[in-house]
Amino acid sequence: MEQAFWVQKPGVGELREERLPEPGPDDVLVRTLCSGVSRGTETLVFRGGVPASQHDVMRAPFQDGDFPGPVKYGYLNVGVVERGPAELTGRTVFCLYPHQTAYVVPASAVTPVPDGVPPGRAILAGTVETAMNAVWDARPRLGDRIAVIGAGMVGASVAKLLSGFPATRVQLVDVDPSRADIAEALGVDFSTPERAHGDCDLVVHASASEAGLTRALELLAPEGEVVEMSWYGDRRVAVPLGEHFHSRRLVIRSSQVGTVGRPDRSYAQRLAVALELLADPAFEALVSGECAFEDLPSVLPRLAGNELSALCLRVMYQPQ
């Protein structure tokens, strides 16, 4: 009998026993090595903050139950294939699966982890995939002046990817000065909001705050664009569309990982590239906390209540 983490009701988590189905000829049985808690989305789910209008949109690929609970939710899972097609058996794979000690899914639902990527870093594949999609949506140009507001998992990943474009000026912006250490590890400039460089051609907003969105518009040059990545859940936010919004011909556009930002790429191709990018050890800076799987029911309330400051919480599983 396996175990899985469930949100029993908003603010309360528990471990439940799970009986696995017998794998079919096109399935894999995966034994989990580690999983990741995506702080923004998963703490929102844990608090019961997914609005009713978004229950279908927010479903994870292998979610069980329904919002606000009981629900088994998560999508950053790395494990080893114990049973399945010969080409996958024994391979370390990434899957968009919740926190569970082992699981059975179609073989097409797992992506092999490249040899140069440690399993503990591969849990970031879903985050880097989201960041890739934002970069595709943003369409940066050589020499752009760029700010990324919100130095969480996604924002920091976006800044890292954008910094690879030649002659660009990229600055990661956050209200927490301690996030400067993460920016340094990723090789990007850092600023608090009040000191951030203005006259930006592009601002990617990922702070999920009204103040962050306001500052994003303030930092734009004429004809500049904000790419809005934040997920606000059931909160309403005010957008300052007065002042310079019309006279400077500013643009706000959304970016969400549910749609691939390039029509010539598939979901599988996007995820495979994200895993290749994780060969860069700089991404390790995004994993700033760790706990054992059996401790998740007591750790997640602390993460949701901001008692823990981890960007990505890595969950470790006991070997069988």
Side-chain angles (χ1 to χ4, degrees):
M1 192 73 72
E2 305 300 333
Q3 286 192 309
F5 175 77
W6 284 71
V7 178
Q8 187 212 348
K9 61 181 181 180
V12 178
E14 64 179 6
L15 299 183
R16 293 186 177 184
E17 291 190 340
E18 300 271 344
R19 187 177 299 277
L20 300 186
E22 184 67 18
D26 298 321
D27 294 335
V28 288
L29 168 61
V30 180
R31 175 71 52 187
T32 304
L33 297 172
C34 49
S35 61
V37 175
S38 177
R39 183 188 182 102
T41 304
E42 290 198 56
T43 57
L44 184 76
V45 170
F46 186 75
R47 293 193 301 266
V50 179
S53 65
Q54 298 298 302
H55 282 188
D56 289 338
V57 175
M58 282 289 292
R59 286 193 69 86
F62 294 101
Q63 172 181 325
D64 273 347
D66 297 295
F67 304 117
V71 62
K72 181 174 70 175
Y73 192 86
Y75 47 83
L76 303 174
N77 191 298
V78 175
V80 174
V81 176
E82 291 189 339
R83 292 173 59 184
E87 67 272 17
L88 288 174
T89 302
R91 292 290 304 271
T92 301
V93 295
F94 175 86
C95 185
L96 297 168
Y97 204 88
H99 310 283
Q100 186 165 310
T101 53
Y103 51 92
V104 174
V105 294
S108 59
V110 302
T111 302
V113 175
D115 291 340
V117 179
R121 195 187 308 152
I123 60 171
L124 295 169
T127 300
V128 174
E129 182 184 19
T130 302
M132 278 179 54
N133 211 63
V135 173
W136 285 345
D137 284 334
R139 299 171 187 167
R141 299 163 296 184
L142 297 180
D144 269 359
R145 298 154 298 184
I146 303 171
V148 180
I149 297 180
M153 288 173 64
V154 172
S157 297
V158 171
K160 170 65 176 171
L161 297 183
L162 287 171
S163 69
F165 283 79
T168 54
R169 183 194 78 190
V170 180
Q171 191 169 55
L172 184 59
V173 180
D174 199 275
V175 295
D176 183 355
S178 70
R179 296 289 169 91
D181 294 338
I182 294 168
E184 182 179 6
L186 294 172
V188 298
D189 188 27
F190 178 83
S191 177
T192 53
E194 64 274 8
R195 294 179 176 273
H197 296 313
D199 206 27
C200 292
D201 304 293
L202 170 67
V203 178
V204 179
H205 180 233
S207 81
S209 71
E210 187 175 302
L213 180 55
T214 299
R215 189 62 177 139
L217 289 167
E218 292 171 348
L219 294 178
L220 284 178
E223 306 281 347
E225 179 173 288
V226 170
V227 174
E228 175 60 276
M229 299 190 69
S230 300
W231 171 246
Y232 296 96
D234 56 359
R235 289 179 293 134
R236 298 179 68 89
V237 296
V239 183
L241 300 183
E243 301 183 10
H244 300 295
F245 184 77
H246 289 285
S247 62
R248 292 184 180 175
R249 294 169 56 84
L250 305 181
V251 175
I252 303 173
R253 66 169 298 171
S254 65
S255 178
Q256 204 270 344
V257 72
T259 299
V260 179
R262 286 183 55 169
D264 60 339
R265 295 292 188 273
S266 67
Y267 290 99
Q269 288 171 323
R270 185 179 65 182
L271 182 56
V273 173
L275 281 163
E276 289 178 13
L277 289 169
L278 284 167
D280 187 340
F283 283 104
E284 196 72 36
L286 302 182
V287 182
S288 52
E290 192 171 285
C291 77
F293 168 71
E294 54 268 25
D295 293 333
L296 259 183
S298 61
V299 172
L300 251 181
R302 297 173 59 204
L303 193 67
N306 292 319
E307 294 178 41
L308 298 177
S309 59
L311 288 186
C312 177
L313 179 70
R314 182 160 52 206
V315 182
M316 302 302 295
Y317 293 69
Q318 293 290 336
Q320 299 293 310

